[in-house]
Amino acid sequence: MSSKNILITGGAGFIGSHVVRLFVKKYPEYRIINLDSLTYAGNLENLRDIENAPNYEFVRASILDMDALRQVFQQYSINGVIHLAAESHVDRSIHNPDEFAMTNIIGTIRLLKVAQTAWHGNMEDKMFYHISTDEVYGSIEDGYFTEETPIDPRSPYSASKASSDHFVVAFNNSYGLPSMVSRCSNNYGPYQFPEKLIPLMINNMVNKKPLPVYGKGENIRDWLYVEDHARAIDTIFHKGKSGEVYNIGGNNEWKNIDLVKMLCRIVDEKLNREPGTSASLITYVTDRPGHDLRYAIDASKVISETGWRPTTDFAEGLEKTVEWYLQNQQWLSHVTSGEYLKYYEKMYANR
Ligand code: NAD
Ligand code: TYD
């Protein structure tokens, strides 16, 4: 690509804000357009430090709104898309699957259609890069997910992401739309909405509220620091090949309960609390329905083909994350007010 006008969708969310920040700072010669509808999970406070950068534009619109998408493609001569906008929380998907189908499947199809139409007849310097999840592979007891592992989604969230992945491949195959998909393991770090495990636990520890561990806490996730994921997205966007899928992971598996105990120790230390104070808040609650036991990624393809690798050690990443949440209590109170709290109370009152 010569001149790059990159549309990043979902840039006001957790991972998207790190990707936007990285691209805006690293590539002053590119124009970065962040399109986000600002659902409960999108917050422009995540991007305060770069919002006045000359190479950055924010557009508040939904990926479901084709007129708005067409307008953005035309106005900014978009030649690259990095698509992160989605509904992203498994528990919410179990309560509201149709919203996930609407945003994650229909929204992705509409974005694909607008890109395909705008780029028709001149696909040469174009790229539609879709950000997906290891959850599309389902749950694995032994071994690792490779790019060849059959798709086997088990939750409404992962079913909607798997479907959107298939549509990206279908547009590549049927219309020649240059595209790539990457599937990453669980991310953690600053700006993650506190409904996900790590920020929820930190927030509850700070406020001395119960720490709800689902089931026996034996489910396993592979954790990756969000800035490592953002760097992987940068690397794949520039070095990846159209038509390919890339797995991204941290080679860093933890049982939920061990991870929560580690967080308890870090928080107690940072808040000068007696050791064991936070751990005493651990409460085993009713398991998530259909809870996937284990996700584990084999990231050898992206490592050998692009040179990317994770660089943040887990203990160091968790410590940085705890520090950030302790220092950003105002951010927390902003994002946890209003609608989110009502939802939170409804979800957790009966557990
Ligand atoms: P997030 O929920 O924090 O952010 C999602 C963003 O999308 C929000 O800013 C929201 O406002 C926006 N959005 C939602 N619906 C929209 C719509 N209709 N139009 C425009 N914007 C809309 O999510 P996240 O954790 O940052 O995840 C980003 C992407 O990465 C998702 O596609 C997710 O599936 C994928 N992913 C996440 C993880 C993870 O651990 N969080 C891991 C692998 C892949
Ligand atoms: P989550 O952060 O929701 O990510 P995902 O379900 O996409 O992996 O959850 C991570 C793990 O933590 C998952 O096994 C569910 C578990 N969990 C809890 O035990 N308690 C909680 O309050 C939450 C939100 C998650």
Side-chain angles (χ1 to χ4, degrees):
M1 268 183 247
S2 38
S3 86
K4 293 192 210 272
N5 297 317
I6 303 172
L7 174 64
I8 300 182
T9 69
F14 166 48
I15 301 171
S17 64
H18 289 274
V19 176
V20 166
R21 178 176 297 101
L22 176 70
F23 273 72
V24 165
K25 287 189 171 174
K26 186 170 172 187
Y27 302 108
E29 71 279 22
Y30 294 0
R31 187 142 58 151
I32 305 302
I33 293 90
N34 170 15
L35 181 140
D36 196 299
S37 62
L38 301 182
T39 67
Y40 79 95
N43 190 338
L44 290 176
E45 279 184 61
N46 300 1
L47 290 163
R48 276 284 141 80
D49 54 328
I50 56 100
E51 68 188 3
N52 294 319
N55 60 339
Y56 171 72
E57 302 280 341
F58 174 71
V59 177
R60 184 173 188 188
S62 169
I63 53 168
L64 290 160
D65 182 348
M66 287 182 78
D67 287 339
L69 295 176
R70 276 190 282 265
Q71 160 77 22
V72 166
F73 269 74
Q74 203 177 23
Q75 182 177 347
Y76 296 104
S77 305
I78 298 298
N79 50 14
V81 174
I82 304 178
H83 175 38
L84 296 109
E87 288 295 336
S88 67
H89 189 42
V90 173
D91 291 323
R92 283 180 189 256
S93 80
I94 293 166
H95 289 264
N96 207 353
D98 29 354
E99 194 178 349
F100 279 66
M102 189 53 84
T103 300
N104 298 357
I105 307 175
I106 305 297
T108 299
I109 294 173
R110 291 189 182 163
L111 186 59
L112 284 163
K113 279 174 73 175
V114 170
Q116 197 271 329
T117 309
W119 297 344
H120 183 70
N122 180 16
M123 297 284 186
E124 208 140 279
D125 59 347
K126 311 297 192 298
M127 182 53 71
F128 188 107
Y129 177 15
H130 177 61
I131 307 304
S132 190
T133 166
D134 61 355
E135 301 190 27
V136 301
Y137 296 120
S139 186
I140 189 168
E141 287 208 9
D142 301 303
Y144 298 90
F145 301 131
T146 73
E147 289 80 1
E148 274 71 50
T149 302
I151 301 297
D152 183 23
R154 321 279 302 172
S155 73
Y157 164 65
S158 54
S160 68
K161 291 297 289 186
S163 175
S164 60
D165 289 14
H166 285 316
F167 274 100
V168 174
V169 173
F171 269 68
N172 182 286
N173 188 57
S174 304
Y175 310 110
L177 184 80
S179 67
M180 300 184 291
V181 176
S182 62
R183 298 183 176 135
C184 189
S185 61
N186 285 59
N187 285 216
Y188 71 100
Y191 300 111
Q192 186 167 32
F193 195 81
E195 64 186 347
K196 304 275 169 63
L197 179 72
I198 290 179
L200 181 139
M201 292 294 169
I202 299 171
N203 196 23
N204 286 13
M205 286 173 205
V206 170
N207 295 303
K208 295 202 172 161
K209 283 163 70 175
L211 310 178
V213 172
Y214 297 170
K216 294 186 178 145
E218 286 182 346
N219 302 67
I220 294 171
R221 299 291 183 263
D222 167 11
W223 293 94
L224 181 70
Y225 193 61
V226 63
E227 289 179 4
D228 280 334
H229 187 195
R231 274 194 308 104
I233 290 172
D234 175 21
T235 308
I236 291 168
F237 183 72
H238 289 96
K239 293 190 181 169
K241 293 193 195 84
S242 178
E244 294 291 318
V245 173
Y246 298 93
N247 283 353
I248 305 168
N251 197 17
N252 178 41
E253 290 178 48
W254 286 82
K255 274 188 186 169
N256 291 340
I257 187 63
D258 295 335
L259 166 49
V260 171
K261 286 181 178 165
M262 188 160 158
L263 274 176
C264 287
R265 285 193 292 274
I266 299 174
V267 170
D268 284 350
E269 203 185 292
K270 299 260 174 227
L271 294 180
N272 290 319
R273 287 179 176 168
E274 278 292 301
T277 308
S278 296
S280 70
L281 299 167
I282 292 174
T283 309
Y284 293 93
V285 299
T286 314
D287 208 353
R288 171 188 283 171
H291 195 172
D292 286 341
L293 180 63
R294 173 174 174 258
Y295 303 139
I297 274 276
D298 175 346
S300 51
K301 176 177 170 180
V302 71
I303 291 171
S304 66
E305 291 188 13
T306 72
W308 171 86
R309 58 180 61 251
T311 57
T312 308
D313 165 75
F314 193 48
E316 178 202 328
L318 275 189
E319 209 167 311
K320 277 203 278 190
T321 304
V322 169
E323 280 288 348
W324 188 87
Y325 280 92
L326 293 180
Q327 284 165 11
N328 287 275
Q329 290 293 306
Q330 202 189 6
W331 179 90
L332 262 178
S333 72
H334 284 176
V335 302
T336 53
S337 59
E339 201 190 325
Y340 171 68
L341 262 192
K342 278 184 240 143
Y343 161 82
Y344 182 90
E345 278 157 12
K346 196 173 98 202
M347 287 283 293
Y348 291 91
N350 302 324
R351 283 199 188 267

